[in-house]
Amino acid sequence: MHMHDVAQLFTTPLDAPAFAPTRYRFTDREYLNITYRTDPEALRRVVPEPLSVPEPLVRFEIMRMPDVTGLGDYTEAGQVVPVTYGGEPGEYNLAMYLDSVPAISSGRELSAYPKKAGKPRLFVDSDTLVGTLDYGSLRVATATMGYKHHPMDPDEARAEICAPTYMVKVVPGYDGRPRICELVRTQITDLTVKSAFRGPARLELFAHALAPLADLPVLEVVSASHILTDLTLSPAEVVHDYLTAR
C-alpha cells in the first residue's frame, strides 16, 4: 500500500475498516425517554464547565434502531442532562451503552459520542413498553411506560429530540496526556416524527462500578415519551478547547 493511499483512509484496520464511510440515516428509530429529578450535587460532579445545570434533571433514554445505513441493526441506552451553554438550552450527553462495535467505533472516532459496550433492549410486554440495560451479565436499568396512553404533540416531540447536544471528546497522545480535549456541539435538524405518545412511567437504576447510572439517583419521574422517527445525524463542531483554555 502506497503512502498516499494510507493518508486517504478513514479508520483501521486498513483492509477491513471498523465502520462504513457514510452519513448515517436512521429509519424507524424508536425512543423511550424518561426524564427524572436527581440529586443536584451528584449532577454537578459529572457535568463539565463551561456547561451550566439549570435544574437537577436527567433523561434516561433507550433507542431501538432497526435500520441504519452502514451500521445495520442495534440498540442504545444512556443518560443525558439538560444544560445551558452561553445562554442556549441544550443537553449534555453523559454516557451511552450499545450492542454494536461499528456504532461504538464510528460514534467515538467520527464524533464525540461517549459510547461503550452494553446490552440494551426495548420491547413491548403486553400493555407496557419496557426498556432494559445490562452491563455484562448484570442489570443496571429497568424502565417501564404505559404503551401509547396519550398522544404527544409532534412539535413537542421534535423539540425533545432536536435539542442541541454537547459532548466531551478526549483523545490521549502516546505519552498518556490528552492530545484532543474538546467540548463539541451537534444538533439533529433532519427529522420526521412518525408517532409520539406519553404515559405513566417508572425507572429503576442499579449500582455498578463501570456503568454508574445509579450515581444519579431517581428521586422523581417527571415525564416520559415514546417517539418513532426517521432522522439523519449532523456533524459535530468544537465550541470549547480545554487544552487551549488551560
Side-chain angles (χ1 to χ4, degrees):
M1 183 178 291
H2 298 294
M3 284 191 289
H4 67 270
D5 293 325
V6 176
Q8 298 302 312
L9 298 172
F10 63 97
T11 186
T12 59
L14 299 185
D15 63 341
F19 50 88
T22 185
R23 192 173 185 196
Y24 299 116
R25 177 68 179 174
F26 296 78
T27 302
D28 291 335
R29 176 160 160 158
E30 183 180 14
Y31 290 82
L32 168 58
N33 296 324
I34 298 182
T35 299
Y36 67 92
R37 197 172 306 279
T38 193
D39 177 3
E41 291 303 318
L43 196 56
R44 291 189 188 100
R45 285 194 292 269
V46 296
V47 176
E49 293 181 332
L51 300 175
S52 300
V53 179
E55 290 188 81
L57 298 177
V58 182
R59 188 174 80 241
F60 174 76
E61 60 183 15
I62 291 191
M63 294 164 283
R64 179 80 189 95
M65 292 166 279
D67 183 356
V68 188
T69 55
L71 297 175
D73 179 347
Y74 66 100
T75 306
E76 190 167 87
Q79 287 173 310
V80 298
V81 180
V83 296
T84 60
Y85 176 76
E88 177 189 46
E91 58 189 25
Y92 170 61
N93 199 329
L94 176 61
M96 310 172 83
Y97 302 85
L98 54 154
D99 55 5
S100 166
V101 171
I104 293 173
S105 301
S106 61
R108 293 177 68 95
E109 291 187 25
L110 293 177
S111 189
Y113 291 99
K115 298 188 176 190
K116 60 190 299 187
K119 300 174 184 175
R121 291 187 65 210
L122 182 60
F123 59 95
V124 177
D125 181 13
S126 183
D127 58 352
T128 308
L129 183 64
V130 179
T132 62
L133 174 60
D134 294 349
Y135 190 83
S137 62
L138 298 179
R139 178 62 46 86
V140 293
T142 299
T144 56
M145 176 182 169
Y147 188 73
K148 294 187 176 182
H149 279 210
H150 309 291
M152 182 181 181
D153 186 325
D155 290 337
E156 185 181 358
R158 174 182 294 275
E160 186 168 302
I161 302 301
C162 293
T165 300
Y166 297 89
M167 302 170 285
V168 170
K169 180 162 188 169
V170 179
V171 178
Y174 299 111
D175 58 0
R177 292 179 296 180
R179 190 170 180 175
I180 295 174
C181 189
E182 299 167 337
L183 180 70
V184 308
R185 179 191 186 277
T186 186
Q187 185 173 13
I188 295 170
T189 57
D190 179 5
L191 177 136
T192 300
V193 175
K194 291 184 167 181
S195 69
F197 289 87
R198 291 207 177 277
R202 298 292 185 272
L203 175 62
E204 191 172 11
L205 304 178
F206 305 92
H208 194 294
L210 299 181
L213 285 78
D215 286 4
L216 299 176
V218 180
L219 302 183
E220 176 193 9
V221 172
V222 175
S223 64
S225 61
H226 176 206
I227 304 171
L228 184 66
T229 68
D230 293 342
L231 63 86
T232 304
L233 295 182
S234 298
E237 60 179 354
V238 178
V239 296
H240 183 80
D241 188 328
Y242 290 97
L243 300 181
T244 300
R246 182 183 61 183

